[in-house]
Amino acid sequence: MAEDLQIHQGSKEEQYISLIPQIQAILEGESDAIANMANVCAALKEQFHFFWVGFYLVKADELVLGPFQGPVACTRIRMGRGVCGTSWKEERVIIVPDVEKFPGHIACSSLSKSEIVLPVFKENKIMGVLDVDSDQYDQFDGVDEKYLQHIIDLL
Ligand code: SME
C-alpha cells in the first residue's frame, strides 16, 4: 500500500471523488477499526484542511473520543448533548451552519463555527459518530453528507 495521499484541487465534489478511492485502497485488507478510523481522519484532514475531524464511539451510556485529527477535544459526551449527542440519540445526520445557533452545542473550541455529524452504524447498531468541524460558517451541505456517508460505508 502506498501511504502517500494524492491531493487534488477542484470543487468539493471533485476532491471527494479523488479522495474516496484512495481511502478505499488504504482501508483495504485492514480489519482494525481504530486504525481505519484514524486513517480516515488523517485523509480528510489532509485533503480538506478541516479544523477538526474525528470519531466519537459509543461506550456504555456515553460517547467517548476516538481517533481524530485536530486540536484536543472533549473526551465524553452524553446522549442528547450537543450536536454529537443529538446525532447519536436521533440516529441522524446533523448539519449545523452556525454552531452558536445550535441549542446545547458543546464548544470544544471557540474557533469551530460549523459542523456536520453523521452516525456510524455497524450491523444496524449505532457504534459512534463522525464529527467534522470547520473554523468557517456554513461549510457543510448535502455534498459532504453524501461523500462522508460513502466513506463511513467503507469502514
Ligand atoms: N461540537 C461538538 C462536540 C465535539 S467537538 O466539536 C470536537 C458537539 O456539540 O457535539
Side-chain angles (χ1 to χ4, degrees), residues 4 6 21 23 27-28 46 61 76 85 91 110 119 124 137 144 149 154:
D4 284 347
Q6 300 300 314
I23 291 181
L27 304 190
E28 223 158 53
E46 206 176 329
D61 61 346
R76 290 172 188 271
E91 300 193 349
S110 60
N124 293 324
Y137 293 109
D144 301 280
Q149 185 59 60
L154 298 174

Side-chain angles (χ1 to χ4, degrees), residues 77-95:
I77 297 175
R78 296 198 168 230
M79 186 177 257
R81 293 285 316 281
V83 187
C84 293
T86 305
S87 172
W88 176 27
K89 184 177 179 192
E90 299 180 2
E91 300 193 349
R92 66 180 178 94
V93 178
I94 302 180
I95 294 173

